[in-house]
């Protein structure tokens, strides 16, 4: 998995009734764009994440956001 600061981490719900979580990658603490990532979710909560197989990195460009 590879990410850049500003990309979005989309974690899919794995059971019925569990919502997807989407957050912005604020820091990359692994080597060469790899995990763990510091992610800020839409509710303002931040956490260090080691994404599992239910997670996808969405680039800023693909989401239609300009790169700063």
């Amino acid at each position: 998995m590879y990410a850049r600061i500003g990309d979005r981490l989309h974690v899919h719900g794995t059971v019925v009734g569990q919502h997807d979580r989407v957050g912005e990658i604020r820091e990359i603490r692994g080597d060469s764009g790899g995990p763990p990532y510091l992610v800020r979710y839409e509710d303002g909560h931040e956490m260090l994440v080691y994404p599992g197989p239910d997670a996808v990195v969405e680039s800023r460009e693909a989401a239609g956001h300009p790169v700063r």
Side-chain angles (χ1 to χ4, degrees):
M1 183 171 283
Y2 172 80
R4 293 181 296 174
I5 293 174
D7 287 350
R8 294 168 25 125
L9 183 68
H10 187 149
V11 181
H12 298 281
T14 56
V15 296
V16 174
Q18 182 181 34
H19 299 285
D20 290 0
R21 294 195 70 187
V22 178
E24 180 182 354
I25 296 174
R26 308 285 289 175
E27 291 181 21
I28 298 169
R29 297 195 179 170
D31 295 328
S32 302
Y37 305 124
L38 181 66
V39 178
R40 178 180 291 162
Y41 289 99
E42 295 169 336
D43 63 1
H45 181 80
E46 287 189 353
M47 65 186 303
L48 192 61
V49 178
Y50 287 86
D54 56 341
V56 177
V57 173
E58 300 170 346
S59 71
R60 283 184 69 83
E61 293 86 13
H65 299 287
V67 177
R68 293 186 224 169

